[in-house]
Amino acid sequence: DAGITQSPRYKITETGRQVTLMCHQTWSHSYMFWYRQDLGHGLRLIYYSAAADITDKGEVPDGYVVSRSKTENFPLTLESATRSQTSVYFCASNAQGDTQYFGPGTRLTVL
Amino acid sequence: AQSVSQHNHHVILSEAASLELGCNYSYGGTVNLFWYVQYPGQHLQLLLKYFSGDPLVKGIKGFEAEFIKSKFSFNLRKPSVQWSDTAEYFCAVNPTGANNLFFGTGTRLTVIP
């Protein structure tokens, strides 16, 4: 089915471990985004990508790494997870100048 | 600093009451404006958007929003809320030239049957 999917939906990990969150969209949207949602902060942009092989930092990029080798995929990696990275992570995509659509989210807990 | 402000953090209403949620932004120039809704345990869904034209925008489920440029506001309204409107509502701004959205902190709406 067309749309934007995220995996895993839930993840529990330990401090210091590497974690990768996956995002896949079937619309061939050029733009993709990663946000984190925390109480009292709304959604904050971590990284975004305007096209394959083009990525840029958002508001809160520290501790995260992204890549975009294919238009449809935009994985987010926490190289060494910290407790402060416990959050709900949303991936989103849009065509240039159009509405942004969100994935179902990944709830990450870092112990 | 540039920002998006939603001053109502938690609103509690009875069914059939009227709703107005405030959204103010501080970005200059032309902006695109959005309201998203997040039902409990779900992802964000678009309620309505304003790009240009008529400043009164109608969205899904009976929601509407009015863009008042002079006040830098984009308030969300619904004349009669239902229990199923219980959700968190986010205002978002896309300044012209920016690739991403800037979100407010959200307003949690609880509708009591």
Side-chain angles (χ1 to χ4, degrees):
Chain A
D1 289 341
I4 182 165
T5 57
Q6 293 183 234
S7 62
R9 295 293 313 279
Y10 302 90
K11 177 73 177 178
I12 300 174
T13 191
E14 295 177 335
T15 302
R17 295 208 179 221
Q18 183 181 76
V19 176
T20 296
L21 309 183
M22 304 301 294
C23 178
H24 175 79
Q25 52 102 357
T26 60
W27 292 305
S28 299
H29 285 165
S30 55
Y31 287 90
M32 295 188 74
F33 306 83
W34 275 106
Y35 294 90
R36 59 178 289 173
Q37 184 181 25
D38 303 288
L39 198 62
H41 290 281
L43 277 80
R44 292 180 292 175
L45 182 68
I46 304 171
Y47 269 95
Y48 70 96
S49 169
D53 297 321
I54 300 175
T55 63
D56 212 341
K57 294 179 180 180
E59 181 184 354
V60 288
D62 292 345
Y64 302 95
V65 174
V66 293
S67 61
R68 186 128 180 246
S69 56
K70 293 183 178 181
T71 299
E72 60 268 29
N73 296 324
F74 191 40
L76 175 75
T77 298
L78 289 67
E79 293 188 300
S80 178
T82 65
R83 289 184 180 175
S84 65
Q85 292 177 309
T86 292
S87 186
V88 181
Y89 291 84
F90 286 100
C91 180
S93 73
N94 64 264
Q96 186 169 8
D98 204 352
T99 301
Q100 206 164 109
Y101 294 94
F102 286 79
T106 295
R107 184 175 294 275
L108 175 68
T109 302
V110 183
L111 302 175
Chain B
Q2 295 177 323
S3 66
V4 181
S5 299
Q6 292 182 245
H7 301 295
N8 311 105
H9 297 294
H10 189 192
V11 174
I12 302 173
L13 294 172
S14 298
E15 274 193 318
S18 64
L19 170 72
E20 181 160 1
L21 301 182
C23 174
N24 289 90
Y25 63 93
S26 60
Y27 300 93
T30 306
V31 295
N32 297 322
L33 298 159
F34 304 82
W35 276 98
Y36 283 86
V37 60
Q38 185 179 29
Y39 297 103
Q42 296 190 25
H43 63 284
L44 275 76
Q45 302 171 42
L46 183 70
L47 264 182
L48 48 79
K49 62 185 179 184
Y50 172 80
F51 281 10
S52 64
D54 188 344
L56 184 61
V57 180
K58 295 196 183 296
I60 61 171
K61 304 185 180 185
F63 286 90
E64 65 178 31
E66 185 175 12
F67 170 50
I68 303 179
K69 188 175 182 180
S70 61
K71 294 185 178 180
F72 297 87
S73 70
F74 190 54
N75 292 356
L76 181 71
R77 301 194 292 246
K78 186 171 183 178
S80 176
V81 295
Q82 301 173 316
W83 176 77
S84 57
D85 293 325
T86 294
E88 188 144 17
Y89 292 80
F90 292 93
C91 179
V93 176
N94 170 232
T96 301
N99 296 313
N100 58 290
L101 296 175
F102 295 91
F103 282 86
T105 52
T107 296
R108 185 153 63 102
L109 172 65
T110 301
V111 180
I112 302 170

